[in-house]
Amino acid sequence: MYRHLEHRLAQRVLECMQRRHPGVSLPNVVVEQPPKVQLGDFAIPIFPFAKPLRSAPLKIAEAIRDEIGAIEGIAEMQVAPPGYLNVRTDRAWLAAALASDRKPTAEIPTGKVLVEHSSINPNKAAHIGHLRNAILGDTFVRLLRFAGREVDVQNYIDNTGVQVADVVVGFAHIEKKSRPEIEVLAGQPRFDYYCWDLYARVSQWYAKDKQNLQARAGVLHAVEEGNNETAGIADLISTAVLRRHLETMERLEIEYDFLPRESEILHLHFWEAAFTKLKQSGLLAFEGEGKNKGCWVMRRAGTGPTDTGTDGNKETEDKVAEEDQKVIVRSNGTVGYVGKDIAYHMWKFGLLGRDFGYRKFYRYPNQRDCWISVIDGEKEHPHFGDVAEIYNVIDARQSEAQNTVIEALRGLGHGEAADRYTHFSYEMVALTPRCAAELGYTLTEEDKARSYIEVSGRKGFGVKADDLLDQLIASARNEVDSRHPQLEDNDRLRIATQIAIGALRYFMLKYTKQSVIAFDFKEALSFEGETGPYAQYAVVRATSIFRKAGIDPESFCRDVAGNVSQTDLAKYLAGAEADEIWELWLASSKTSYVVDQCIATTEPAYLAKHVFQLAQLFNTFYHRHPILSEPDEKRKRFLLATVAVVRRELIRTLELMGITVPPVM
């Protein structure tokens, strides 16, 4: 309702100015949040209107205040120097709407949204960096669905790339294993761990003798060609590792709708169709000389074959041209990652004229099916692709490749699609030295002095996702065992798991996307400060208030409005002495507002900040107001209603972050 009131206020202010100044082009009305509730609940800066209206901001503000008329939900407007309209809501009206969980209808954009996330190379176990990608993507999916959007979740599987080829090389050239032997290994529970170690050994094997890289080139070509023994082994390995990835993500309640594989993009001739369009449009050129001789290249936007350097000579011209080339097809005929990605994104927007075959691949405990791409699939299947918007969750190091895909869409004449394609970029995850030491890594004195330690899959240095989850659960279990020894073993394990998952997901979400995360066990699992357990504990504390009062919290919270009248809301929220409690109600009303902010900026960290602020305000309220010993029965019901509203919004926002609340902490 806070978001709805903000929109209504902005619209009425703009209409008021348009009536006073017909025909004048006016900027948008910006509604801000004052730093303190004492200043009001909304603040509108009038400065942007001074120039077009040729008037002082204070005079414009005074005119709006005097002429705007009554607005439902708004109590008063005050003019504040040097040029603000400070707006106070009708506290009882907004609180009653929040108590009844009233949600005004909102205009929802049409069309399906596609969110692609995780996209882990299926060559080894998932690691801590993949968890950041998946948690960001899954949370964004939850935000979009909360906002009423239809969302498809896709996890792109690069099963024909260099990383998979390297593991095939390891089995064939280092371990000398046959396909039946690999099949036995692939059936083991932690085959992805086996491949993790083998992948690091392959990197060492390449480093010993550069000639060994020829084995990679041969395997890569065979895998892309398909229908041969090497390609079959690659498919066996990648499929087994993929299943392990899905099992890992299921532990975090992260699910996917569709797994498009790179092999089908090649073998169903997606790339050939895209290649033809790219050549016909003139976006691709065949290089006959220079370092990219024999390659099909795409020039970066804003460059061309006639670009020259400052001296204008041919040597400089050739050099600049090469630097501005993006290789799409290598000289050996294999297609680069970007080329296949261009074809894939054309399919996403329904621009390719081709489709995958589909087969059910994985079933979640809720009986939801995850589909995978195949050559010949099932006749009956959901419709994927042909979407209105795309959000691609890929780390910041892939920005150049993502920009190339967008440039290709524009160059092909699909500017509108390019505008609706968002690279959801984020930075890497590292480890604090303390965390690396706890995981058993040997650190030098120089390492110990660093703020964070980078991980490397090729070197085998990093944190496997399952190991991280296991250790977090074990640490949480120690705490739960000491606090609640009377509980059954399974109950303590379930609670520890909820705390551990909450800690991990909150930790990954509380930092802005462009921040490098240095993960630390102690910090993530702390019950104090900006952590998942701190927010979970606020809900547990709220629930315990109802239980101590002999009230069923679920029943009370389902009908908060039935337990407190608007008259009492007006009474107990009036005046400066009620500002502290009103701040809690006001923060609770902002869930939809924050969700909109997260979606508009592709920044889930705003949600984490909102949860923390709400938990902080509630804990302050809890310590200052002895609810259960309150002698005034009506005020007691009002205080319980306050607890109920905060509890509901905390549970709701934590669910958006993929965090559930245990019964005890």
Side-chain angles (χ1 to χ4, degrees):
M1 187 56 76
Y2 180 89
R3 176 191 61 176
H4 174 72
L5 198 53
E6 178 203 44
H7 290 173
R8 180 192 295 171
L9 177 63
Q11 182 181 2
R12 288 289 300 275
V13 169
L14 184 60
E15 289 172 353
C16 180
M17 285 192 286
Q18 287 172 337
R19 284 195 306 271
R20 283 180 53 84
H21 306 278
V24 178
S25 179
L26 298 173
N28 290 330
V29 175
V30 175
V31 182
E32 299 176 350
Q33 300 179 60
K36 299 178 180 179
V37 294
Q38 289 84 353
L39 299 174
D41 303 318
F42 299 107
I44 302 175
I46 304 300
F47 315 106
F49 303 96
K51 186 175 181 179
L53 298 182
R54 298 180 180 180
S55 182
L58 278 176
K59 286 188 176 182
I60 299 171
E62 289 168 355
I64 294 170
R65 179 198 59 194
D66 296 341
E67 299 178 23
I68 195 168
I71 303 174
E72 185 183 23
I74 300 299
E76 65 173 322
M77 290 185 178
Q78 295 177 341
V79 175
Y84 283 93
L85 267 177
N86 286 343
V87 182
R88 297 184 187 279
T89 60
D90 180 335
R91 292 183 175 184
W93 181 90
L94 184 55
L98 182 60
S100 62
D101 203 15
R102 193 159 74 237
K103 298 181 180 67
T105 56
E107 186 176 341
I108 300 172
T110 58
K112 187 160 55 175
V113 182
L114 189 158
V115 178
E116 178 193 330
H117 68 79
S118 303
S119 303
I120 310 168
N121 289 316
N123 69 319
K124 66 181 188 305
H127 59 62
I128 190 171
H130 298 135
L131 290 180
R132 186 177 196 186
N133 182 307
I135 290 169
L136 281 170
D138 179 65
T139 302
F140 198 67
V141 168
R142 293 168 186 261
L143 288 164
L144 287 167
R145 287 176 173 160
F146 181 86
R149 300 301 301 273
E150 180 186 1
V151 186
D152 268 354
V153 187
Q154 297 192 11
N155 178 0
Y156 181 80
I157 310 301
D158 183 2
N159 62 337
T160 67
V162 170
Q163 288 79 7
V164 171
D166 283 348
V167 177
V168 175
V169 167
F171 278 117
H173 294 270
I174 297 177
E175 299 208 329
K176 313 290 185 184
K177 291 195 182 296
S178 66
R179 179 167 180 164
E181 289 174 315
I182 298 171
E183 285 179 350
V184 172
L185 287 170
Q188 299 301 311
R190 296 243 161 150
F191 178 63
D192 54 338
Y193 277 44
Y194 188 99
C195 292
W196 174 288
D197 295 332
L198 181 58
Y199 183 60
R201 288 166 56 200
V202 171
S203 296
Q204 296 165 5
W205 187 64
Y206 290 152
K208 287 179 182 177
D209 186 349
K210 296 300 181 185
Q211 292 297 314
N212 291 336
L213 285 167
Q214 294 178 5
R216 171 197 277 175
V219 168
L220 188 61
H221 191 80
V223 170
E224 285 195 1
E225 185 178 352
N227 296 317
N228 55 66
E229 181 67 11
T230 300
I233 291 173
D235 182 64
L236 167 66
I237 293 167
S238 62
T239 301
V241 172
L242 172 59
R243 285 191 180 277
R244 283 291 301 120
H245 290 169
L246 297 185
E247 291 166 0
T248 299
M249 294 305 167
E250 190 182 319
R251 297 179 71 182
L252 293 161
E253 296 188 12
I254 295 174
E255 301 178 355
Y256 310 94
D257 298 309
F258 178 47
L259 309 170
R261 295 189 296 184
E262 197 168 85
S263 53
E264 278 68 56
I265 287 176
L266 291 171
H267 302 148
L268 289 170
H269 309 295
F270 280 31
W271 165 243
E272 289 179 16
F275 192 29
T276 299
K277 292 177 183 288
L278 289 165
K279 287 187 291 185
Q280 288 174 347
S281 69
L283 282 176
L284 290 189
F286 184 79
E287 286 297 310
E289 57 184 8
K291 70 174 183 180
N292 293 330
K293 181 180 179 180
C295 301
W296 285 91
V297 302
M298 186 177 123
R299 292 186 180 275
R300 292 181 176 85
T303 65
T306 60
D307 291 344
T308 60
T310 55
D311 58 2
N313 64 41
K314 183 67 167 62
E315 181 179 349
T316 306
E317 178 182 330
D318 288 344
K319 181 180 179 182
V320 172
E322 287 183 354
E323 288 178 350
D324 288 327
Q325 292 171 357
K326 179 67 180 179
V327 174
I328 304 300
V329 182
R330 306 180 189 97
S331 58
N332 63 4
T334 58
V335 186
Y337 162 78
V338 175
K340 289 173 277 193
D341 213 28
I342 291 170
Y344 172 40
H345 282 85
M346 291 175 69
W347 167 82
K348 285 181 177 181
F349 279 119
L351 304 172
L352 199 62
R354 295 177 183 270
D355 200 4
F356 293 104
Y358 300 91
R359 176 170 56 82
K360 292 176 183 176
F361 181 75
Y362 192 89
R363 175 161 285 188
Y364 294 105
N366 60 8
Q367 302 306 302
R368 177 182 177 188
D369 288 313
C370 176
W371 295 72
I372 196 167
S373 64
V374 292
I375 303 296
D376 296 311
E378 300 177 27
K379 290 183 178 180
E380 299 294 327
H381 60 79
H383 178 68
F384 298 109
D386 194 21
V387 298
E389 297 174 53
I390 295 171
Y391 292 90
N392 214 1
V393 186
I394 302 180
D395 75 55
R397 291 169 293 183
Q398 296 299 320
S399 292
E400 183 181 357
Q402 291 295 293
N403 289 336
T404 301
V405 173
I406 293 171
E407 289 171 19
L409 289 171
R410 291 196 193 284
L412 289 166
H414 304 302
E416 187 179 347
D419 291 340
R420 291 184 275 111
Y421 176 69
T422 301
H423 174 201
F424 191 119
S425 172
Y426 66 94
E427 279 293 347
M428 69 174 182
V429 181
L431 308 175
T432 62
R434 177 172 63 186
C435 182
E438 288 174 352
L439 289 164
Y441 291 106
T442 303
L443 304 179
T444 65
E445 290 303 315
E446 184 181 352
D447 288 335
K448 294 175 184 177
R450 293 178 180 174
S451 56
Y452 61 82
I453 307 293
E454 291 187 35
V455 299
S456 170
R458 286 195 176 276
K459 295 178 182 178
F461 180 79
V463 184
K464 301 179 187 72
D466 282 307
D467 284 351
L468 176 63
L469 288 167
D470 290 343
Q471 189 151 342
L472 282 168
I473 292 169
S475 297
R477 177 67 186 269
N478 290 336
E479 189 72 25
V480 174
D481 286 349
S482 65
R483 294 186 181 208
H484 305 285
Q486 77 284 0
L487 296 178
E488 295 291 331
D489 186 73
N490 286 341
D491 291 334
R492 281 182 276 128
L493 176 59
R494 184 165 52 252
I495 292 166
T497 301
Q498 289 174 305
I499 293 171
I501 299 301
L504 176 61
R505 291 192 66 129
Y506 193 97
F507 194 92
M508 291 294 186
L509 291 168
K510 74 176 182 177
Y511 297 97
T512 57
K513 297 177 303 175
Q514 302 312 317
S515 303
V516 173
I517 292 180
F519 187 82
D520 186 87
F521 285 106
K522 185 176 181 180
E523 182 184 348
L525 280 169
S526 174
F527 278 51
E528 298 298 327
E530 194 175 353
T531 66
Y534 178 78
Q536 289 172 313
Y537 188 68
V539 179
V540 171
R541 174 172 274 171
T543 302
S544 70
I545 292 172
F546 289 103
R547 288 181 178 154
K548 289 177 182 177
I551 300 171
D552 176 53
E554 302 307 325
S555 299
F556 190 99
C557 293
R558 271 195 301 270
D559 186 25
V560 180
N563 287 287
V564 61
S565 69
Q566 189 163 340
T567 301
D568 286 338
L569 288 172
K571 176 181 177 181
Y572 296 119
L573 288 172
E577 65 277 5
D579 282 351
E580 179 191 294
I581 295 180
W582 171 242
E583 189 174 5
L584 184 54
W585 278 82
L586 189 64
S588 299
S589 73
K590 294 180 180 179
T591 299
S592 293
Y593 173 87
V594 175
V595 168
D596 279 357
Q597 186 182 30
C598 291
I599 293 172
T601 59
T602 60
E603 184 53 89
Y606 291 124
L607 186 66
K609 299 297 181 187
H610 174 62
V611 167
F612 179 55
Q613 180 195 26
L614 201 51
Q616 269 189 316
L617 290 170
F618 173 73
N619 285 329
T620 300
F621 163 82
Y622 173 84
H623 288 296
R624 292 184 181 176
H625 299 276
I627 301 166
L628 298 182
S629 59
E630 170 59 50
D632 184 330
E633 188 59 31
K634 285 191 175 182
R635 179 170 172 79
K636 182 177 180 179
R637 301 294 285 185
F638 162 72
L639 294 174
L640 285 170
T642 303
V643 176
V645 164
V646 177
R647 178 181 180 273
R648 183 191 68 206
E649 294 306 312
L650 273 173
I651 291 173
R652 180 173 286 165
T653 48
L654 285 170
E655 283 178 351
L656 288 173
M657 297 175 72
I659 298 172
T660 56
V661 179
V664 296
M665 293 284 284

